Each structure stands twice: as structure tokens, then as C-alpha cells.
């Protein structure tokens, strides 16, 4: 799961953020149409070997799977924290650290999913 999170953070988010930034910045009309064509070309690119599958569909499937997995992980750490607090009166630092890491990954997956959706 760590490698998927690194892939999302360092490979999928920067191009989407850059393309979004380029679309938001006010530019001359001729440059703006070229940027729109570039963004459409990137998002509508076909996956090699499959005539109907597009790049954006594959990215959204990966991001949705990661988001669902992170949601389940956050809920499981919430349950562990509740059980530990109920029996021992306090939550272990290790449980909190893992919970905060999964929550961070959840926000990263949500951000990436909202960029590409």
C-alpha cells in the first residue's frame, strides 16, 4: 500500500495539479486553446493495447480503489483506538501514529481523486 501511496503522491498528483494550474492562470486566447487541447489530449489518451480504455479511466479506477482501501483502514484504526481506550483507558501512541498516517493517506487519495474526477 505504501508504494501505491507514493505513486499517487509523486506521479499522479503533480501532472494534474500542473495542468489545473495552467488552466487557471489567465493567458492569451491562442495559448489558452492550446492548453485546453493539451489537457484534453492527456486525459483522453488511450491505454496501449485497448481501444476503448482511456488513461483517465485507469487513473480513476486506481484512485478509487486506493480511496476505498484507505477509508476501510481509517475505520479499522478508529475501532482499534476505541477498543484500546475502553480497556486500558488510553490509546497507545503507535495506534495514534498509524491512524494519523492512514488519515493522511486518505486525504491524499481524496485530493488526487478530486483532481482527476
Amino acid at each position: 500500500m505504501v508504494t501505491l501511496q507514493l505513486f499517487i503522491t509523486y506521479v499522479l498528483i503533480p501532472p494534474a495539479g500542473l495542468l489545473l494550474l495552467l488552466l487557471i492562470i489567465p493567458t492569451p486566447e491562442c495559448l489558452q486553446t492550446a492548453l485546453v487541447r493539451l489537457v484534453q489530449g492527456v486525459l483522453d489518451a488511450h491505454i496501449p493495447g485497448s481501444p476503448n480504455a482511456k488513461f483517465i479511466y485507469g487513473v480513476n479506477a486506481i484512485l478509487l480503489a486506493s480511496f476505498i482501501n484507505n477509508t476501510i483502514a481509517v475505520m479499522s484504526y478508529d475501532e482499534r483506538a476505541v477498543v484500546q481506550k475502553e480497556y486500558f483507558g488510553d490509546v497507545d501512541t503507535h495506534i495514534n501514529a498509524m491512524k494519523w498516517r492512514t488519515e493522511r493517506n486518505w486525504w491524499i487519495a481524496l485530493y488526487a481523486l478530486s483532481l482527476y474526477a
Side-chain angles (χ1 to χ4, degrees):
M1 190 62 201
V2 172
T3 56
L4 178 60
Q5 206 61 38
L6 288 174
F7 178 73
I8 290 170
T9 304
Y10 295 116
V11 175
L12 292 181
I13 289 179
L18 180 65
L19 292 175
L20 181 65
L21 183 67
L22 287 174
L23 288 176
I24 291 173
I25 294 174
T27 55
E29 186 68 32
C30 61
L31 188 59
Q32 188 69 24
T33 56
L35 287 174
V36 169
R37 275 191 250 125
L38 172 71
V39 171
Q40 286 176 344
V42 169
L43 295 180
D44 290 339
H46 289 281
I47 296 174
S50 178
N52 295 331
K54 292 185 179 180
F55 169 74
I56 191 69
Y57 299 153
V59 169
N60 279 334
I62 291 169
L63 292 175
L64 186 62
S66 173
F67 180 72
I68 291 170
N69 187 23
N70 286 324
T71 302
I72 293 168
V74 167
M75 291 186 328
S76 77
Y77 279 113
D78 282 341
E79 291 171 5
R80 287 182 192 179
V82 166
V83 168
Q84 190 171 23
K85 190 171 187 177
E86 182 179 313
Y87 286 114
F88 299 112
D90 195 16
V91 180
D92 188 26
T93 306
H94 177 71
I95 297 290
N96 277 335
M98 295 301 289
K99 180 182 169 202
W100 294 332
R101 177 184 284 172
T102 55
E103 285 176 357
R104 180 206 60 197
N105 291 344
W106 185 85
W107 283 107
I108 290 171
L110 178 65
Y111 176 67
L113 188 61
S114 65
L115 273 177
Y116 279 101

